[in-house]
Amino acid sequence: MSKPTPLSGFPEWLPAQRMIEQNVVERIRSTFELYGFAPLETRAVEPMDQLLRKGETSKEVYVLRRLQEDPANQKDDALGLHFDLTVPFARFVLENSGKLQFPFRRYQIQKVWRGERPQEGRYREFLQADIDVVDRDSLPFHYDAELPLVIGDAFRSLPIPPATILVNNRKVCEGFYRGLGLEDPDEVLRTVDKLDKIGPAKVGELLATLGASAAQVDAVLRLAQISTADASFVDEVRKLGVDNDLLNEGLGELVAVVDAANEHAPGLIRAELKIARGLDYYTGTVYETQLQGYERHGSICSGGRYENLASSGNERFPGVGISIGVSRMLGLLFGQSALTVSRSVPTAVVVALPSEELRGRCDAVARSLRSRRISTEVAPSAAKFGKQIRFAERRGIPYVWFPGADGEPDTVKDIRSGEQVEADAATWAPPAEDFVPSVQGV
C-alpha cells in the first residue's frame, strides 16, 4: 500500500493532542453537569427536509446514500449528516416531549459535519459541545443570561487565553431595519453577518443591491459599529434616531443579559451589535465568542435563542443554546503550540524488566499497581536499565519500578529528580499530580 494522502478538513490528533482534547472535554462536561445539564447523544443523520428548512445550509450538508444506490430511485426521505447539534436536538424534543420534564436542560458533545472550505481552525468533521434549555410554550428570558455564565465557567476551567462572549439580539437589528423602512430585514441580517469576512464597503454594496438607500446603508453600518462592555449601547442606538417596538424590546432583553453578566462575571460579555448569526432559526439573543490573541479567526463558541425551531402543529418548544467548537478551538491552539501535556501516554509507571524469565513477576507488579488505578506498563524488552529508563523519558513517564533481586525489596525511581526509594506494589502510589497527565497552557 502506497503512503496515503491526508484528507483536509478531517483532523486526526496525535496521541498527546488527543489526551489534551479528552482533558478539555472532561472539564467542559463537568462544568455542564455542575449546572444540572443532562447528557444526550442523537443520531448522526437527519432527514434532508429537516436539515434544510432553516438557514443557508444547503451547500454544507453531506448527503448519506448507499454506494450502489440508483439516483433515479432516490426517495424524498434522503438523509444527511447533521451540520450542528441544535437541529437534531429540536427533533429529539418533539419526538420525546411526553417523556421529558420541562424546562429540559441538556448537553451534547458530538461530532458534526459541514462541507465548507477547510482552513486553520475550520474543519469538515469536528467536535462540538452544546448546552440548551427548552420549555413548553414559553421559555423564561433569564436562561438567555444564564448560558453565557455557564460557558464562562467552562472556559475558566481550561488552560486557555481569556475569552470574551459577544452578544446581540436579533430583535434589535430587525427592529432597527424595519424602523429604517428596509423591506427584507432577514436578508439584511444575513448580509451584515458577512461584515467581518468582506468588510463594510462590500456589505454596503450588497445592501444597495437589496434596495437600501445611501442613508439606510450608513445607518445599518453605524449600528454594526456599536460595541460596549455595559448597557451604554442603548444610548448609542438612540442617537441614530430610529424608533420601533421590536427594537425597544430587543434593547431591553440585551440590557438584561449584559447586566447579569457584569454582576456575576465582570469582563465576560461585550455587547456587539454587528453580531447576527447566519442561521435563520435564531429569533432573539445571539452569541459569538472570541479568544484573546485569536480574534482574527472569528468565533469559537456561538448560539442563541430560537422560538420556533422545535414546533409541530400547536406544540411549540422554544429554547436557547450555545455551542463550543471544541475542534476549532483546539486546532487554533495546537497551531500555536499553546497547549502542552505532561506526558504523551497515560502511563505513570514503567516496570523495568531484568530478564524475560522475570516477566511474570513484573506483570504481577503491574497488576497490583493497576488494581489501584495507577496506569502501568511493563518494559517491552529486557534491555539494560539505562535503556529502559530512556524509554520512559522519551514519553514523559515519571516513574520506573525496579524489582528487587535475590530477596531485596523493590524500588521505584522518579526519573525527573533521580530520587529512588523502596516500594511495595500493594501500597505505593505516586503523588496525586502524577496519577494522570496534566494539561498546561503556554
Side-chain angles (χ1 to χ4, degrees):
M1 179 178 171
S2 60
K3 186 175 181 179
T5 302
L7 284 175
S8 63
F10 296 87
E12 294 179 317
W13 307 133
L14 293 170
Q17 294 173 320
R18 174 62 175 153
M19 286 197 297
I20 292 173
E21 180 185 57
Q22 289 177 316
N23 181 283
V24 165
V25 167
E26 174 57 25
R27 296 190 199 192
I28 292 171
R29 182 201 63 79
S30 178
T31 303
F32 289 171
E33 292 191 353
L34 280 174
Y35 278 84
F37 290 88
L40 183 66
E41 182 168 326
T42 55
R43 65 199 186 205
V45 297
E46 297 292 334
M48 290 297 294
D49 61 341
Q50 292 296 310
L51 291 174
L52 300 181
R53 71 191 183 98
K54 290 286 185 179
E56 296 179 320
T57 58
S58 59
K59 295 179 181 179
E60 297 183 356
V61 175
Y62 282 107
V63 178
L64 190 73
R65 65 178 181 84
R66 291 183 294 110
L67 181 63
Q68 301 297 327
E69 185 175 358
D70 183 354
N73 294 329
Q74 286 184 4
K75 299 179 180 178
D76 292 336
D77 58 351
L79 301 176
L81 293 171
H82 57 222
F83 61 85
D84 74 356
L85 298 178
T86 305
V87 171
F89 173 58
R91 185 266 310 160
F92 179 89
V93 169
L94 287 174
E95 290 183 2
N96 295 277
S97 60
K99 305 173 186 176
L100 302 176
Q101 298 297 318
F102 293 96
F104 179 45
R105 303 162 69 90
R106 84 83 173 84
Y107 74 87
Q108 272 180 264
I109 303 176
Q110 278 184 250
K111 292 285 186 70
V112 301
W113 295 266
R114 291 185 188 175
E116 60 182 358
R117 181 174 65 87
Q119 52 188 297
E120 187 178 14
R122 288 195 177 275
Y123 305 108
R124 295 169 177 171
E125 177 186 63
F126 53 97
L127 186 68
Q128 288 191 176
D130 282 30
I131 49 172
D132 285 77
V133 183
V134 298
D135 209 340
R136 192 187 295 271
D137 298 326
S138 64
L139 178 72
F141 185 77
H142 63 79
Y143 292 113
D144 292 49
E146 178 188 2
L147 260 58
L149 303 179
V150 180
I151 296 299
D153 279 359
F155 282 148
R156 279 189 290 272
S157 76
L158 303 175
I160 62 173
T164 302
I165 299 177
L166 312 178
V167 63
N168 194 9
N169 193 299
R170 288 178 72 138
K171 295 175 184 177
V172 171
C173 299
E174 182 178 345
F176 187 86
Y177 304 153
R178 291 187 183 280
L180 283 175
L182 294 168
E183 296 181 356
D184 192 348
D186 288 340
E187 189 61 38
V188 176
L189 271 170
R190 284 190 287 269
T191 303
V192 172
D193 193 47
K194 302 172 183 177
L195 194 57
D196 285 339
K197 295 180 181 178
I198 64 176
K202 289 289 185 183
V203 167
E205 292 175 9
L206 291 175
L207 291 174
T209 65
L210 297 176
S213 67
Q216 289 171 326
V217 169
D218 179 67
V220 168
L221 294 177
R222 287 171 65 190
L223 179 74
Q225 292 171 356
I226 295 174
S227 173
T228 69
D230 55 24
S232 61
F233 63 85
V234 175
D235 293 334
E236 297 295 317
V237 174
R238 296 300 185 204
K239 290 177 184 177
L240 299 179
V242 176
D243 187 38
N244 177 273
D245 289 343
L246 188 61
L247 168 64
N248 296 333
E249 181 181 340
L251 288 173
E253 291 181 353
L254 189 53
V255 166
V257 174
V258 171
D259 283 350
N262 284 335
E263 178 181 355
H264 298 288
L268 174 64
I269 272 186
R270 187 169 79 241
E272 192 81 19
L273 271 57
K274 66 181 178 182
I275 301 301
R277 306 296 302 140
L279 296 170
D280 286 348
Y281 54 68
Y282 293 123
T283 56
T285 308
V286 285
Y287 316 99
E288 290 190 356
T289 308
Q290 291 182 343
L291 208 57
Q292 184 175 303
Y294 297 83
E295 291 87 353
R296 68 183 181 87
H297 296 287
S299 180
I300 60 161
C301 176
S302 308
R305 173 174 278 251
Y306 46 91
E307 296 291 340
N308 303 307
L309 183 61
S311 60
S312 178
N314 294 326
E315 278 197 309
R316 191 169 67 92
F317 300 91
V320 60
I322 191 166
S323 171
I324 301 173
V326 178
S327 299
R328 175 167 172 71
M329 177 179 70
L330 290 179
L332 295 173
L333 294 169
F334 289 158
Q336 298 298 315
S337 300
L339 291 174
T340 62
V341 64
S342 58
R343 53 185 188 259
S344 62
V345 292
T347 311
V349 181
V350 169
V351 180
L353 184 65
S355 67
E356 284 298 331
E357 288 74 20
L358 293 175
R359 183 172 288 277
R361 179 182 168 189
C362 294
D363 285 342
V365 170
R367 283 195 298 273
S368 180
L369 293 171
R370 291 177 194 135
S371 71
R372 291 180 294 109
R373 311 305 298 169
I374 302 169
S375 179
T376 307
E377 58 183 284
V378 177
S381 61
K384 292 181 179 180
F385 281 164
K387 185 175 182 180
Q388 296 188 53
I389 290 173
R390 288 192 293 276
F391 168 80
E393 284 177 330
R394 284 194 299 271
R395 298 192 293 166
I397 300 170
Y399 297 96
V400 177
W401 190 283
F402 297 99
D406 301 324
E408 294 293 319
D410 291 1
T411 60
V412 64
K413 182 173 185 175
D414 183 336
I415 63 174
R416 300 162 299 185
S417 66
E419 181 183 10
Q420 188 166 342
V421 297
E422 292 184 5
D424 183 343
T427 59
W428 177 86
E433 62 268 20
D434 287 331
F435 258 88
V436 296
S438 59
V439 175
Q440 302 91 23
V442 176

